[in-house]
């Protein structure tokens, strides 16, 4: 067997303690603890908020009863009183589930098994809870029954998993009472004959029926077994009980349970508690804290370790502890770290290093075992000292303990000493320790009165009047163990209470959240209005209470001596069990009990933070909080009425809303969020923020905030006037709304701002007019102000601002033009842009709105928009042409449309002596290549060009003069194209400028050929041009003049030989060459001329051959066709008559009398009549197969021509059915037929025309 493990002393040295005191604390005359840094502490926001729930426990305090102990677990609060009553309440509604008389004296401790799980959410369970939780009259606590079994009959508790628990209570009457919450008959009462201070049910009590108890006898007793509904005694020395126990062990006696003493001899036991896992038990007596391994969840090989002690913490050895160790009741708490609040508010200190700073002793063990087993966290508070202990489970040993079985171990990770007596403790977060501090005037100096080395005097001691208790949060992760929060609790009759009268209970957030959801569904099913989750928590918790004094002013009636007389206990019918708002919120719950009061503490939420910020006038942070977390604002009637006025909207759910169209629905949906509680609260706090900033002179910041928080036109108007009166336009202007509000912001607001900048800052004026839509203000008012400024001469074009000439004048003029445009005063705007010489804006305006006629009186001004004075004097022609291209093109376009006639443009440009720009205009008008066909419907570019030429012909002489000056190439083109100019003037201009080619052309047009030829020969000396000119005129006299002139010039003779070709007789040319004249290249010239003639002769012969061949082919075709017979059918008379009638009935004839459909076989194409055997009229057939009567073919629908045929017959035999076939008659017939049908078959010709 493995050796029995010995007790381990975990820590007992005073050198390990850490003191948690505040050096700044002083003591006032009345003994109240104050803080010299109280003003600084007021700036720190509290961590917790509090609610007094005493009014919900009014039935507990009836008949002068008071609370002696309590326990919260799952969804239950169990309270024991000094009269021995036990009250079981459901959370969070505080509805009594059961009240019974368990003892005849004060209840000292309560234990339950198992801890209630979250209630079931199934529909059947909900219905059962709803039926069972109906309000009932609680049982009176004044009964003097000896046991709970004799209590008055009460309604049964619903059988739900949450209610299936056993409750054990101990009392100073020496009894331990264990009862089933659901079954009142399942009760066991055991008397130990001495006051019992503590009881702890086994986590598996339902199966093992065992519990631990201890009291003034000093024995830790394990009780196992026992029958429900029995009362037994365990008086030491009773032979009856001994015999009963001996017979019971043999199975022969009654089953009254078995008691086993696990520990004895170290004084009264004050506290016993099972760990959360059930593996460990901790208890306390006057000598210290003991931790032992329980008998649960042991492996078979470890059964011998059951009830073996694994650790011991000695009580401190400070002065006074020997006398007070039994008076200061120790508090222990097993903590589930997974159910704590998060550690976001605590300092980021490594928790792994907490146990390595000398705060406790450790037994060396291998690291593998530490990682494999997660410890359970135990908190111990005793007197003024706190221990934080990690309890590790046992198992197989490692390292030095290999081969051994370890029962477990306990390590102190933190030990600290406080300036108060511990009345309760727990963990709020993994690093924040929650302490309920009991304070007396002496405690503020030294909890044990040992600072001066004094010892308590003998004799009668009078209890000093205590101070209000405090709830403290201590950061145990920081090296200094500083206090994060200290809240003073206001409780009734606190001056006469001791440390043991206060109790602290914590509900983990994980269990509470699940419980709340189910109970809320249950209460909603009842429909009695017991729950309102939307209740504003800020009504219950005072937000203006200091950190050190949270007086819970909302429940001042509970300060009276008799809690039962408080106003909170006088609840209205039907709302008796309405839960406090704090109890209905998720998160960790902290309950503090005194004999006469119950206080609930929860973590402050965002709404509390908002109230605290507003109370501290931190409006900026408050506004940002609402903006980031809109849910922080609760929709309460009080806040809704306090908010600033807003735009009236359609009532929700109205008929107009129901029948509104899509657009109306959009408007309604947009207005509702605007007028929601969140937006109203933001505007309310925002305006207080603005006022605060203005009072402190921060106008720029106030302007920024106005842009963020203001949302209605009335408030904007108010604050704009406020800034305007203080002449702070620059601070508010950038944030004035540029979109229309509903209702709209008065236009006067914008006009005043613009008027200010018209007078003082034109650059800013320009920016505002660019940013603000014109519909925000009255345009006529602003234009009048600008025009007045310009007329007054306050701003001139010659003024210099910031080194720029005329800057302000230009800004005002541009602003005026922009406003004219917005007001649809286009002509005034165009005049402004012309004065500014803003070509882009002016041209754009003219093109878009066709406004050229508005400025037709100033054509030079339009053309010179892009031309400066320096350019006009010095710029080259190409630069000026580029600068004036756009207005010239626009004038040309308008000329084609008749808006601005060319006469107007020519006249103004001539008067202003702008001949160059007049040339540009006439040239563009002549070419008309810049005119878009889009603006001229149904006109092609060629037609537009022709129209332009016609327009220029009106100024032909002027055009010749300008073209001669600026564009000689265009001059020749104009001379050749136009016929409207004066030839003598044109000749004079060309002769003046010595334009020979142009003059030659003009002379040729006037008939002066010889002069023109001699100009070519004398001036140009261009033999090729002379020969071309002579060829073009084809005048023999001109050729003689050319030959006569050229016979003494070898260069001309050679040119004639090379280029004259066949224009003149080559023999004549050669004979006229003077003998003896040396001509360079004569041989080559002659050879070329002869070669040209040979080529010409060869071409002529080839063409003749081709023509002869084509003629012969055509004649052959003609003869073969003439010789070919034309086949056609002949029908009998009866059939012919029927067919003719059928055809004539449906025949259609065109305007030329030609049938539009193919005739039937044996029918005339013209009259559609059938040919008969005895046909008397001549028939004409074509190669295509169509046959006509001669009269039908000749007439073509013209009946007046029919006598001509008779005239051509020339024979009286015509009446006999045949004509004479003499040659004359045949020729006459052929001529007439040829004249009538020159193209062949009329029907085929008609079809070809239709196809084309």
């Amino acid at each position: 067997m493995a050796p029995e493990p010995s007790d381990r002393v975990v820590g007992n040295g005073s050198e390990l303690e850490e003191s948690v005191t505040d050096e700044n604390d002083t003591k006032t005359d009345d003994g109240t603890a104050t803080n010299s840094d109280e003003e600084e502490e007021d700036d720190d926001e509290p961590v917790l908020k509090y609610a007094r729930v005493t009014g919900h426990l009014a039935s507990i305090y009836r008949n002068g009863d008071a609370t002696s102990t309590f326990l919260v677990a799952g969804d239950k609060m169990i309270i024991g009183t000094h009269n021995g009553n036990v009250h079981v309440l459901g959370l969070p509604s505080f509805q009594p589930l059961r009240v019974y008389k368990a003892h005849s004296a004060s209840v000292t401790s309560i234990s339950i098994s198992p801890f209630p799980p979250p209630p079931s959410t199934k529909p059947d369970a909900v219905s059962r809870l709803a039926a069972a939780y109906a309000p009932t009259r609680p049982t009176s606590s004044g009964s003097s029954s000896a046991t709970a079994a004799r209590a008055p009959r009460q309604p049964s508790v619903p059988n739900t998993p949450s209610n299936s628990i056993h409750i054990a209570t101990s009392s100073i009457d020496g009894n331990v009472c264990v009862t089933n919450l659901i079954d009142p008959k399942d009760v066991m009462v055991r008397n130990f004959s001495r006051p019992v201070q503590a009881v702890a049910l086994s986590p598996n009590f339902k199966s093992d029926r065992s519990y631990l108890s201890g009291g003034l006898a000093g024995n830790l007793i394990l009780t196992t077994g026992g029958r429900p509904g029995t009362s037994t005694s365990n008086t030491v020395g009773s032979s009856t009980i001994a015999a009963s126990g001996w017979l019971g062990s043999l199975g022969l006696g009654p089953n009254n349970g078995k008691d086993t003493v696990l520990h004895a001899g170290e004084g009264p036991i004050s506290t016993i508690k099972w760990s959360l896992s059930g593996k460990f038990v901790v208890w306390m007596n006057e000598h210290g804290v003991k931790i032992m391994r329980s008998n649960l969840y042991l492996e078979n090989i470890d059964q011998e370790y059951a009830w073996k002690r694994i650790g011991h913490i000695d009580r401190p050895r400070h002065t006074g502890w020997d006398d007070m160790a039994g008076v200061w009741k120790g508090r222990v708490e097993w903590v589930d770290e997974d159910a704590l609040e998060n550690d976001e508010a605590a300092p980021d200190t490594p928790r792994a290093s907490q146990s390595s700073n000398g705060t406790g002793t450790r037994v060396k063990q291998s690291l593998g075992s530490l990682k494999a087993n997660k410890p359970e966290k135990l908190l111990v508070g005793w007197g003024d000292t706190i221990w934080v202990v990690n309890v590790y489970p046992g198992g197989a040993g490692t390292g030095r303990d290999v081969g051994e079985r370890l029962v477990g171990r306990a390590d102190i990770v933190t030990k600290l000493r406080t300036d108060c007596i511990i009345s309760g403790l727990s963990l709020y977060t993994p690093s924040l320790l929650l302490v309920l501090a009991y304070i007396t005037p002496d405690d503020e100096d030294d909890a044990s009165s040992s600072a001066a080395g004094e010892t308590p005097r003998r004799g009668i001691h009078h209890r000093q009047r205590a101070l209000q208790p405090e709830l403290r949060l201590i950061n145990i992760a920081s090296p200094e163990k500083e206090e994060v929060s200290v809240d003073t609790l206001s409780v009734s009759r606190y001056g006469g209470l001791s440390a043991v009268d206060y109790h602290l209970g914590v509900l983990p957030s994980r269990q509470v959240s699940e419980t709340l959801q189910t109970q809320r569904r249950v209460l909603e099913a009842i429909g009695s209005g017991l729950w309102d989750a939307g209740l504003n928590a800020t009504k219950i918790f005072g937000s203006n209470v200091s950190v050190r004094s949270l007086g819970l002013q909302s429940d001042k009636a509970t300060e009276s001596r008799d809690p039962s007389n408080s106003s909170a206990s006088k609840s209205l019918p039907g709302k008796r069990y309405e839960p406090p708002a704090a109890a209905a919120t998720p998160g960790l719950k902290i309950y503090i009990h005194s004999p006469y009061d119950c206080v609930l503490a929860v973590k402050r939420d965002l709404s509390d933070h908002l109230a605290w910020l507003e109370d501290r006038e931190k409006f900026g942070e408050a506004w940002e909080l609402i903006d980031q977390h809109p849910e922080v604002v609760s929709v309460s009637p009080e806040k809704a009425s306090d908010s600033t006025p807003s735009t009236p909207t359609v009532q929700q759910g109205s008929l107009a809303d129901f029948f509104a169209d899509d657009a109306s629905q959009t408007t309604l949906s947009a207005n509702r969020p605007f007028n929601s509680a969140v937006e109203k609260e933001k505007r309310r706090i925002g305006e207080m923020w603005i006022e605060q900033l203005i009072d402190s002179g921060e106008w720029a910041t106030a302007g920024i905030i106005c842009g963020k928080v203001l949302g209605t036109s009335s408030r904007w108007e108010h604050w704009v006037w406020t800034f305007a009166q203080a002449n702070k336009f620059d601070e508010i202007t950038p944030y004035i709304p540029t979109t229309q509000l509903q209702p709209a912001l008065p236009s006067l607001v914008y006009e005043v701002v613009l008027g200010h900048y018209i007078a003082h800052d034109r650059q800013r004026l320009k920016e505002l007019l660019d940013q603000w839509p014109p519909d925000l203000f009255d345009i006529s008012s602003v234009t009048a102000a600008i025009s007045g400024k310009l007329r007054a001469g306050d701003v001139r074009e010659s003024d210099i601002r910031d080194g720029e000439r005329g800057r302000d004048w230009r800004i005002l003029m541009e602003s005026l033009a922009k406003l004219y445009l917005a007001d649809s005063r286009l002509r005034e705007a165009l005049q402004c842009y012309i004065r500014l010489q803003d070509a882009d804006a002016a041209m754009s305006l003219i093109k878009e709105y066709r406004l050229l006629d508005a400025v037709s009186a100033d054509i030079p001004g339009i053309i010179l928009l892009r031309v400066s004075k320096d350019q006009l004097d010095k710029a080259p022609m190409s630069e000026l042409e580029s600068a004036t291209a756009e207005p010239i093109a626009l004038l040309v376009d308008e000329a084609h449309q008749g808006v601005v006639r060319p006469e107007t443009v020519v006249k103004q440009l001539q008067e202003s002596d702008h001949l160059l720009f007049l040339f540009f205009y006439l040239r563009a008008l002549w070419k008309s290549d810049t005119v878009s066909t889009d603006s001229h419907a149904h006109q092609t570019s060629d037609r537009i060009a022709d129209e332009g030429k016609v327009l220029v012909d009106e100024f032909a002489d002027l055009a010749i003069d300008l073209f001669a000056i600026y564009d000689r190439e265009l001059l020749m083109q104009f001379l050749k194209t136009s016929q409207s100019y004066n030839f003598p003037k044109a000749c004079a201009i060309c002769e003046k400028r010595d334009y020979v080619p142009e003059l030659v052309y003009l002379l040729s047009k006037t008939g002066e050929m010889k002069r023109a030829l001699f100009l070519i020969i004398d001036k140009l000396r261009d033999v090729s041009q002379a020969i071309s000119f002579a060829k073009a005129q084809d005048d023999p006299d001109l050729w003689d003049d050319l030959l006569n002139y050229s016979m003494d010039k070898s260069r001309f003779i050679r040119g004639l030989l090379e280029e004259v070709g066949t224009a003149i007789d080559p023999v004549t040319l050669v004979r006229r060459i003077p003998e003896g004249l040396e001509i360079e290249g004569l041989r080559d010239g002659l050879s070329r001329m002869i070669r040209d003639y040979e080529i010409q002769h060869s071409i002529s012969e080839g063409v003749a051959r081709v023509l002869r061949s084509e003629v012969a082919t055509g004649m052959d075709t003609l003869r073969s066709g003439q010789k070919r017979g034309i086949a056609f059918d002949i029908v009998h008379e009866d059939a012919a008559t029927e067919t003719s009638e059928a055809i004539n009935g449906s025949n259609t004839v065109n305007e030329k009398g030609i049938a539009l459909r193919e005739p039937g076989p044996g029918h005339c194409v013209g009259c559609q009549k059938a040919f008969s055997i005895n046909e008397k009229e001549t028939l004409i057939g074509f190669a295509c197969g169509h046959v006509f009567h001669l009269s039908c073919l000749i007439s073509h629908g013209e009946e007046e021509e029919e006598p001509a045929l008779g005239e051509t017959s020339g024979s009286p035999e015509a009446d006999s059915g045949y004509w004479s076939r003499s040659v004359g008659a045949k020729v006459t017939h052929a001529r007439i037929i040829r004249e009538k049908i020159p193209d062949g078959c009329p029907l085929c010709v008609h079809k070809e025309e239709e196809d084309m």
Side-chain angles (χ1 to χ4, degrees), residues 524-543:
E524 287 176 347
I526 298 173
S528 58
L530 301 182
W531 191 290
D532 183 9
L535 190 62
N536 186 7
T538 57
K539 294 182 183 179
I540 299 177
F541 310 119
S543 61

Side-chain angles (χ1 to χ4, degrees), residues 421-647:
I421 304 301
I422 309 301
S423 292
L425 79 168
S426 182
L427 278 183
Y428 183 70
T429 70
S431 61
L432 289 182
L433 181 64
L434 184 68
V435 176
L436 177 60
Y438 174 81
I439 303 174
T440 62
D442 288 341
D443 289 338
E444 300 231 335
D445 296 332
D446 193 326
S448 58
S449 302
S450 60
E454 299 178 357
T455 58
R457 294 180 297 172
R458 298 181 180 274
I460 299 175
H461 294 270
H462 297 279
R463 178 185 297 174
Q464 291 183 324
R465 184 174 180 83
L467 302 179
Q468 290 175 306
E470 294 179 348
L471 191 63
R472 303 179 180 181
L473 287 176
I474 302 173
N475 185 4
I476 58 176
S478 65
E480 296 80 9
K481 305 294 186 293
E482 70 271 8
E483 292 177 347
V484 175
S485 172
V486 179
D487 297 335
T488 301
L489 305 178
S490 177
V491 296
S492 300
R493 315 177 196 178
Y494 61 85
L497 301 179
S498 64
V500 297
D501 292 325
Y502 294 101
H503 305 277
L504 177 71
V506 176
L507 273 183
S509 58
R510 181 179 59 190
Q511 295 180 356
V512 172
S513 62
E514 296 173 348
T515 303
L516 293 181
Q517 294 176 2
T518 301
Q519 287 201 4
R520 177 175 180 176
R521 286 191 293 267
V522 171
L523 295 175
E524 287 176 347
I526 298 173
S528 58
L530 301 182
W531 191 290
D532 183 9
L535 190 62
N536 186 7
T538 57
K539 294 182 183 179
I540 299 177
F541 310 119
S543 61
N544 56 351
V545 186
S546 66
V547 176
R548 297 282 299 182
S549 178
L550 297 179
L552 305 175
Q553 301 175 6
S554 62
D555 198 5
K556 292 182 179 180
T558 56
E559 297 287 349
S560 62
R561 294 292 297 175
D562 187 2
S564 63
N565 296 328
S566 64
S567 61
S569 64
K570 300 177 182 179
S571 58
L572 296 175
K575 294 188 178 180
R576 182 173 185 175
Y577 305 117
E578 181 179 355
T585 58
L588 187 140
K589 307 292 187 301
I590 304 168
Y591 290 92
I592 302 101
H593 264 275
S594 74
Y596 314 108
D597 269 318
C598 180
V599 177
L600 170 62
V602 295
K603 183 179 180 180
R604 292 173 63 89
D605 55 16
L606 291 177
S607 61
D608 302 300
H609 182 50
L610 174 63
W612 184 84
L613 290 173
E614 186 176 346
D615 186 59
R616 297 301 188 278
E617 296 186 355
K618 297 182 178 182
F619 302 117
E621 296 181 31
W623 192 91
E624 294 293 344
L625 177 64
I626 299 176
D627 187 53
Q628 296 174 9
H629 302 280
E631 68 276 6
V632 73
V633 178
S634 57
V635 186
S636 59
E638 291 81 358
K639 286 195 173 183
S641 62
D642 293 341
S643 60
T644 57
S646 59
T647 307

Side-chain angles (χ1 to χ4, degrees), residues 6 13 261 287 302 368 489 554 557 620 673 833 933 1108 1155:
S6 60
V261 178
H287 292 275
D302 294 332
L489 305 178
S554 62
Y833 285 128
T933 57
R1108 284 195 296 271

Side-chain angles (χ1 to χ4, degrees), residues 908-922:
Q908 293 188 28
L909 291 177
Q910 281 182 321
E911 291 176 353
S912 61
D913 197 23
H914 292 305
L915 297 181
L916 176 60
F917 305 118
L918 180 56
F919 158 71
F920 291 151
Y921 175 72
L922 292 177

Side-chain angles (χ1 to χ4, degrees), residues 1164-1239:
C1164 174
V1165 176
C1167 64
Q1168 300 291 322
K1169 294 181 180 179
F1171 302 129
S1172 63
I1173 298 176
N1174 299 323
E1175 186 68 51
K1176 297 179 180 181
E1177 190 173 354
T1178 304
L1179 302 178
I1180 303 297
F1182 292 92
C1184 58
H1186 296 143
V1187 182
F1188 293 81
H1189 289 110
L1190 179 60
S1191 60
C1192 294
L1193 182 62
I1194 293 176
S1195 65
H1196 287 280
E1198 300 174 2
E1199 295 180 357
E1200 65 273 8
E1201 295 293 339
E1202 290 184 2
L1205 183 59
E1207 295 175 358
T1208 61
S1209 62
S1211 175
E1213 292 82 7
D1215 296 334
S1216 61
Y1218 61 90
W1219 291 328
S1220 173
R1221 294 305 178 184
S1222 64
V1223 175
K1226 290 182 178 180
V1227 172
T1228 301
H1229 276 282
R1231 178 183 62 78
I1232 293 174
I1233 293 172
R1234 186 63 179 171
E1235 289 178 355
K1236 292 295 182 181
I1237 51 172
D1239 298 324

Side-chain angles (χ1 to χ4, degrees), residues 948-1187:
K949 291 179 174 60
V950 172
L951 293 174
V952 177
D953 282 344
E954 298 177 9
F955 314 97
D957 295 335
L958 177 61
I960 290 176
D961 191 12
L962 294 175
F963 292 165
I965 298 173
Y966 298 110
D967 193 343
R968 183 177 176 180
E969 182 179 353
L970 184 60
L971 174 63
M972 177 60 79
Q973 180 183 351
F974 182 78
L975 291 174
K976 291 181 179 180
T977 305
S978 178
Q979 302 295 330
S980 302
Y981 54 88
N982 188 301
F983 279 85
K985 288 184 179 181
C987 291
I989 292 172
C990 293
E991 189 173 1
K992 178 181 178 181
R993 295 186 176 275
D994 197 21
Y995 290 169
V996 176
E998 291 80 0
L999 187 57
V1000 168
Y1001 173 78
L1002 291 173
L1003 292 175
S1004 67
K1005 299 291 287 183
T1006 58
E1008 300 182 45
M1009 305 299 180
K1010 289 186 178 181
R1011 184 183 174 191
L1013 179 61
F1014 282 106
L1015 282 175
I1016 295 173
I1017 296 173
D1018 292 338
K1019 296 286 186 179
L1020 301 179
R1021 298 183 180 277
D1022 188 346
V1023 62
S1024 299
Q1025 186 176 353
I1027 294 171
S1028 300
F1029 182 75
K1031 286 182 179 181
Q1033 303 304 321
D1034 195 18
D1035 185 0
D1037 295 335
L1038 200 60
W1039 277 110
D1040 289 341
D1041 293 338
L1042 178 59
L1043 292 177
N1044 293 333
Y1045 179 82
S1046 303
M1047 287 302 104
D1048 60 346
K1049 299 176 180 61
S1050 60
R1051 186 170 63 85
F1052 272 75
I1053 294 173
R1054 181 183 175 184
L1056 287 171
L1057 293 173
E1058 292 179 351
E1059 300 184 18
V1060 72
T1062 59
I1064 59 175
D1065 187 1
V1067 177
T1068 303
L1069 175 60
V1070 173
R1071 285 179 179 177
R1072 296 186 66 170
I1073 297 175
E1075 294 182 3
L1077 181 63
E1078 185 178 354
I1079 301 173
E1080 183 180 357
L1082 177 61
R1083 180 181 298 175
D1084 296 335
L1086 291 173
S1087 300
R1088 182 172 179 178
M1089 184 180 63
I1090 295 170
R1091 186 166 57 253
D1092 290 343
Y1093 268 93
E1094 289 178 351
I1095 294 172
Q1096 185 67 28
H1097 180 70
S1098 175
I1099 292 173
S1100 299
E1101 288 183 348
V1103 170
R1105 287 194 297 270
V1106 171
L1107 289 176
R1108 284 195 296 271
S1109 175
E1110 290 181 354
V1111 169
T1113 303
M1115 291 302 294
D1116 293 341
T1117 303
L1118 177 61
R1119 285 192 292 269
S1120 63
Q1122 291 175 346
K1123 293 178 180 180
R1124 189 177 63 180
I1126 303 300
F1128 56 89
D1129 296 331
I1130 297 176
V1131 297
H1132 297 286
E1133 243 179 267
D1134 296 338
T1137 302
E1138 295 176 0
T1139 307
S1140 176
E1141 291 176 356
I1143 293 175
N1144 291 334
S1146 60
N1147 185 36
T1148 56
V1149 181
N1150 69 353
E1151 65 275 5
K1152 294 183 180 181
I1154 305 301
L1156 299 181
R1157 56 175 295 174
E1158 289 286 341
H1163 291 74
C1164 174
V1165 176
C1167 64
Q1168 300 291 322
K1169 294 181 180 179
F1171 302 129
S1172 63
I1173 298 176
N1174 299 323
E1175 186 68 51
K1176 297 179 180 181
E1177 190 173 354
T1178 304
L1179 302 178
I1180 303 297
F1182 292 92
C1184 58
H1186 296 143
V1187 182

